[in-house]
Amino acid sequence: MDWKPNTDSHLTLHDQIIDWIKERIEKGDWCVGTKIPTQRQLAAQFNVNRSTVQLALDELRAEGLLQSKRGSGVFVSNSSWNVLVNKTNPNWQQYIEGSVHEPNYHTIQLINQYEQVDHIIRLGTGELSPDLLPTKQLEESLKEISLESKAIGYSSPRGSKALRTTLCTYLKKKGIYTTPENILIVSGALQALQLIAVGLLEKGSLVFQEQSSYLNSVHPFQSAGMRVMSVLRGKNLPEHLRRLKKNKQSLFYCVPTLHNPTGYSWTLEERIAFYQTCKELQIPIIEDDVYHELLFTSGIEPIKALDTSGQVLYIGSVSKTLSPGLRIGWVVAPPPVIERLADIKMQTDYGSSAFSQEIVAHWLSTGLYENHLGQLREQLKIRAEFVEKILYQKFQSLANWEKPEGGFFIWLKFKKPIVNKALFLNLLKRNVLINPGYIYETRDLYHIRLSYAYASLEELEKGLDILFEVCSEY
Amino acid sequence: MDWKPNTDSHLTLHDQIIDWIKERIEKGDWCVGTKIPTQRQLAAQFNVNRSTVQLALDELRAEGLLQSKRGSGVFVSNSSWNVLVNKTNPNWQQYIEGSVHEPNYHTIQLINQYEQVDHIIRLGTGELSPDLLPTKQLEESLKEISLESKAIGYSSPRGSKALRTTLCTYLKKKGIYTTPENILIVSGALQALQLIAVGLLEKGSLVFQEQSSYLNSVHPFQSAGMRVMSVLRGKNLPEHLRRLKKNKQSLFYCVPTLHNPTGYSWTLEERIAFYQTCKELQIPIIEDDVYHELLFTSGIEPIKALDTSGQVLYIGSVSKTLSPGLRIGWVVAPPPVIERLADIKMQTDYGSSAFSQEIVAHWLSTGLYENHLGQLREQLKIRAEFVEKILYQKFQSLANWEKPEGGFFIWLKFKKPIVNKALFLNLLKRNVLINPGYIYETRDLYHIRLSYAYASLEELEKGLDILFEVCSEY
Ligand SMILES: Cc1ncc(COP(=O)(O)O)c(C=O)c1O
Ligand SMILES: Cc1ncc(COP(=O)(O)O)c(C=O)c1O
């Protein structure tokens, strides 16, 4: 213990002290929980100023190796391993924490946590109930799949040719005419957003989104250094976009069909006007169309169907229709974009599961998929009507809503701003989990995203009863 | 056309000119192929110096909006869309191109390209031949898979519990005792590297690797802003690491068993010494162990089996043994690391294919996997011996090599530095594709990575004949 820092070293005195203390901890001389000598004692031992010791201790504290306990001194904190490897890429963490307002973030964590709890009634969950997944048919279909050796090796960059080819046929029915070269198979729509964020945009680019937007559409862009800006659709949008864009590279992320969380679908006129504006301003569009299959009355086509200039990057997926566990989605875009995204995908995960791709290709090409979709829409419609009936009976004086046109959600709007964290927590106490509007847009205290897709009819009824009781108290 | 830049603007004159020209192109006033006025004409029109015009045109050319044709002037180049969306994240592109030496990079591109061509003899391909994949058995096994609704929904962050549980049993046989909480299922070993790169390390961290390393182990780290440093194993390693590390955060990526590209396996003594050094220097280890199953004689245990301090992040995968198309791998690490990586994985792709996970769990838990491994090792051994025999007959005067202990590769070392780009191209002319040593380490003109795993015995024989002929000419 008679070590002293070397004044001739190229390292500063406090860096040497840091190294020495780290060595003590590593070697176990000072094990976890050890109270270390006071600043005064250390300064005397090292023959340096107290301020030098303080600098070193502050840094070690910041690194998490040391820990002050008020009034009782400085201690060696938990295993240095944690400190060493659990250091987070600071930008990443900063984005995650900085981007989402504190209260939202905590609510989202609670939602994620309570979604794992068994007896909770999940009124907000944006996924198909296990009952609605065609589990048995999927199991059956596995028996019909024939594999080729080539198909289960490393994949070609764009993904299975068979799947891309059958997708072309499938997409025609939505008015999208494309070729396998314009398609990239991805591991779900979320991965598509991720690839676009890192592959196509410069740091500092603007990503426009509608106010109240799909939660996971924010992080990928922010983490990659883009700025996400909320805008309101409507007459002023073109002028607004023009003003915001200036000379910046930018992009518009939208969910024009059965939007998450609002459930709203844009009219044809809105689509055309929006497409024209973006074309004029040279703002590429990401059209996230994962709910399109779930329109109760088909008819409206994706914006991509209007696209003559390669302005739209179109994203689809089977997560909302067949099984999220397949992790299969697709991007339709001009070849240079596809090549770029494919290249990054190969560098990240070498392609999506060949087995999942085979299964999806099988379901698409045999018509199993469309058969299933017909049934699924019927089921969802029954659920939607069930919930609407309850809403009519109980909530008319409290809230407004629009008749759902498909998908999972009703965007219930209360007449008073009662949807705050207290309401969320009160409901949680009664085992009802909701997705409050403020997680999508901080200032929104009016909305709840009701999902009729997840909970059983019984649970929906019970959950809405409790919701009614709790809301009535406000 | 009587516009002039505004000298009172906050924008520079040349920036205003750039914007004006862009507007012309966007509005279609100047469509693709239009010849634009000369610098002299533009300078006169804008009432600025020619050098200002030149600056603006240079920038537009660099952006790809304009194009010079020698002797005939400057033209509007292809669709501005390409320019707009195909703009690459500059760092990414820079890393890719900056990191890998030009000649390597071109060779790698040629390899990727010619691997798609049918009649090429692939002497270097690091993947199982379609003949060695258990395609029919996999197809059969699909019939035995029973699915549960819960399993095909959105996954829990760490991946299938069933798979993680059966992996624990499996890993015991390698001396790794762990629990499902310490395991993260990933979409292949490459994704594990990607997650570690973005999730655990600060920008500027050092990533140590052995000289000549797995090609795809460099990009993920470099793209995330880490510095990759090659080191040589051996007696000097501890001193060398100590000197390089200084106070920097760092990590050692290694493939201690059947290394790619050398095929070499570290001895137990080497493993112990290495582990101790890294522990002492607080350098976490990434042990990439994707080839372990392919040791012809089992016995040596992974470094992870020595790990008492949670120092080792252990990576495995079924890509080299069962099917790369499954895209299933795993990381074994302390819980805080697993949580962190799982969190990022959820934000990137929401988990790996549930179907692939079911298949791997089935193969592991029924013993199908180990049965298959036994057969696969036999097949690979036959192939290795076949190639060795040819080497003995023909290459003794030209090169040295070590008897392979398993895996795919023989690291053939020529006595003279003849393995240059010319040799590579000469072989390609004769339809033989090799992986030359210089793609793994720029200055290495001695080695070829021979793979006996991919080409058929016939092709191996023919390819080696041609290799011999071409090399003899040197
Ligand atoms: C609008 C939207 N896009 C994408 C996703 C994610 O889809 P995937 O499971 O295909 O990644 C969701 C899921 O909630 C969504 O609501
Ligand atoms: C050492 C090493 N690690 C990882 C990989 C990639 O494995 P996976 O297909 O599981 O991503 C390879 C494949 O070439 C490899 O050689």
Side-chain angles (χ1 to χ4, degrees), chain A residues 188-190 214 253 255 260 288 290-291 317 319-320 327, chain B residues 154 350:
Chain A
L190 183 62
Y214 167 47
Y253 167 81
V255 186
N260 178 0
D288 182 343
V290 298
Y291 294 102
S317 151
S319 293
K320 304 302 173 188
R327 305 310 307 129
Chain B
Y154 281 108
Y350 269 139

Side-chain angles (χ1 to χ4, degrees), chain B residues 211-270:
Chain B
Q211 205 160 25
S212 299
S213 192
Y214 166 47
L215 285 180
N216 287 310
S217 67
V218 177
H219 291 172
F221 295 112
Q222 286 188 331
S223 300
M226 273 101 247
R227 259 174 63 211
V228 176
M229 288 191 148
S230 297
V231 293
L232 287 167
R233 264 177 321 116
K235 273 204 188 126
N236 296 328
L237 185 62
E239 204 28 61
H240 197 182
L241 284 181
R242 197 184 309 272
R243 216 177 49 242
L244 292 171
K245 180 182 192 290
K246 288 199 202 103
N247 287 315
K248 294 232 182 60
Q249 215 195 18
S250 60
L251 197 144
F252 203 118
Y253 167 81
C254 61
V255 187
T257 307
L258 299 171
H259 180 261
N260 177 3
T262 67
Y264 188 73
S265 293
W266 304 4
T267 62
L268 181 59
E269 292 69 41
E270 287 177 308

Side-chain angles (χ1 to χ4, degrees), chain A residues 81 85, chain B residues 189-190 192-198 200-201 206-210 217 220-221 226 250-257 266 274 278 283-289 303-304 307 310-316 330-333 337 341:
Chain A
W81 163 255
V85 301
Chain B
L190 183 62
L193 295 184
Q194 191 71 30
L195 294 173
I196 292 169
V198 300
L200 291 185
L201 293 171
L206 301 180
V207 176
F208 299 113
Q209 303 200 343
E210 273 193 89
S217 67
F221 295 112
M226 273 101 247
S250 60
L251 197 144
F252 203 118
Y253 167 81
C254 61
V255 187
T257 307
W266 304 4
F274 175 75
C278 288
I283 300 175
I285 296 166
I286 305 180
E287 181 175 25
D288 181 343
D289 206 27
I303 297 179
K304 183 68 185 168
D307 184 23
Q311 184 83 6
V312 181
L313 314 184
Y314 179 81
I315 300 175
W330 45 86
V331 183
V332 185
V337 175
L341 299 181

Side-chain angles (χ1 to χ4, degrees), chain A residues 27-249:
Chain A
K27 295 238 166 115
D29 301 347
W30 292 359
C31 63
V32 173
T34 304
K35 182 174 173 192
I36 71 165
T38 62
Q39 282 185 20
R40 190 193 308 266
Q41 290 167 333
L42 288 172
Q45 179 194 328
F46 299 149
N47 198 16
V48 298
N49 291 331
R50 264 185 68 176
S51 63
T52 306
V53 173
Q54 190 170 0
L55 208 62
L57 296 188
D58 283 346
E59 205 158 318
L60 288 163
R61 235 189 316 256
E63 272 188 66
L65 282 161
L66 298 180
Q67 191 169 23
S68 300
K69 293 190 192 150
R70 210 193 296 262
S72 53
V74 180
F75 296 79
V76 176
S77 69
N78 297 331
S79 126
S80 53
W81 163 255
N82 277 339
V83 173
L84 225 126
V85 301
N86 207 24
K87 260 198 189 157
T88 55
N89 181 324
N91 286 333
W92 191 280
Q93 199 59 21
Q94 198 178 312
Y95 280 127
I96 295 171
E97 288 172 1
S99 64
V100 191
H101 234 261
E102 246 329 298
N104 299 6
Y105 195 55
H106 184 229
T107 300
I108 294 169
Q109 283 182 323
L110 287 174
I111 293 174
N112 292 338
Q113 188 180 327
Y114 279 90
E115 282 190 344
Q116 311 296 324
V117 178
D118 267 343
H119 60 279
I120 292 284
I121 297 180
R122 292 158 64 171
L123 288 188
T125 299
E127 84 184 71
L128 289 177
S129 145
D131 299 346
L132 295 178
L133 295 174
T135 314
K136 277 295 147 229
Q137 289 108 293
L138 273 165
E139 194 177 298
E140 278 308 303
S141 73
L142 292 181
K143 305 200 169 102
E144 285 152 30
I145 299 234
S146 62
L147 297 175
E148 276 179 40
S149 306
K150 287 253 159 104
I152 63 169
Y154 281 108
S155 157
S156 74
R158 287 177 170 80
S160 149
K161 181 82 186 276
L163 176 53
R164 286 181 289 129
T165 307
T166 178
L167 267 174
C168 288
T169 314
Y170 177 74
L171 288 169
K172 257 186 220 153
K173 296 178 196 149
K174 299 190 195 225
I176 297 173
Y177 292 80
T178 190
T179 68
E181 279 61 52
N182 289 62
I183 298 180
L184 172 69
I185 305 300
V186 288
S187 303
L190 183 62
Q191 190 183 49
L193 295 184
Q194 191 70 29
L195 295 172
I196 292 170
V198 299
L200 290 186
L201 293 171
E202 299 178 344
K203 287 221 165 71
S205 306
L206 301 180
V207 176
F208 300 113
Q209 304 200 343
E210 272 193 90
Q211 207 159 16
S212 299
S213 191
Y214 167 47
L215 285 180
N216 288 310
S217 67
V218 178
H219 291 173
F221 295 113
Q222 286 188 330
S223 299
M226 272 102 246
R227 258 174 64 208
V228 175
M229 289 192 145
S230 296
V231 292
L232 287 166
R233 265 176 322 116
K235 270 202 189 131
N236 297 327
L237 186 62
E239 203 30 60
H240 196 181
L241 283 181
R242 197 186 309 273
R243 212 176 55 241
L244 292 171
K245 180 182 194 288
K246 287 197 203 105
N247 287 314
K248 293 232 182 59
Q249 215 194 19

Side-chain angles (χ1 to χ4, degrees), chain A residues 19 81-82 84-85 87 135 139 147 149 152 154 200 216 247 282 310 320 323 325 327 336 349-350 353-354 356, chain B residues 19 80-81 84 87 135 139 147 149 152 154 200 216 247 282 310 320 323 325 327 334 336 349-350 353-354 356:
Chain A
D19 287 352
W81 163 255
N82 277 339
L84 225 126
V85 301
K87 260 198 189 157
T135 314
E139 194 177 298
L147 297 175
S149 306
I152 63 169
Y154 281 108
L200 290 186
N216 288 310
N247 287 314
Q282 292 232 332
K320 304 302 173 188
S323 146
R327 305 310 307 129
D349 67 5
Y350 269 139
S353 162
S356 288
Chain B
D19 287 351
S80 53
W81 162 258
L84 222 125
K87 255 196 195 160
T135 315
E139 193 178 299
L147 297 175
S149 306
I152 64 169
Y154 281 108
L200 291 185
N216 287 310
N247 287 315
Q282 293 232 329
K320 303 302 173 188
S323 146
R327 305 312 306 130
D349 67 6
Y350 269 139
S353 163
S356 288

Side-chain angles (χ1 to χ4, degrees), chain A residues 226-286:
Chain A
M226 272 102 246
R227 258 174 64 208
V228 175
M229 289 192 145
S230 296
V231 292
L232 287 166
R233 265 176 322 116
K235 270 202 189 131
N236 297 327
L237 186 62
E239 203 30 60
H240 196 181
L241 283 181
R242 197 186 309 273
R243 212 176 55 241
L244 292 171
K245 180 182 194 288
K246 287 197 203 105
N247 287 314
K248 293 232 182 59
Q249 215 194 19
S250 60
L251 197 144
F252 204 118
Y253 167 81
C254 60
V255 186
T257 307
L258 299 171
H259 180 261
N260 178 0
T262 67
Y264 188 73
S265 293
W266 304 3
T267 63
L268 181 59
E269 292 69 41
E270 287 177 309
R271 287 166 200 248
I272 292 173
F274 176 75
Y275 172 72
Q276 290 301 347
T277 301
C278 288
K279 189 170 164 185
E280 190 196 320
L281 295 175
Q282 292 232 332
I283 300 175
I285 297 166
I286 306 181

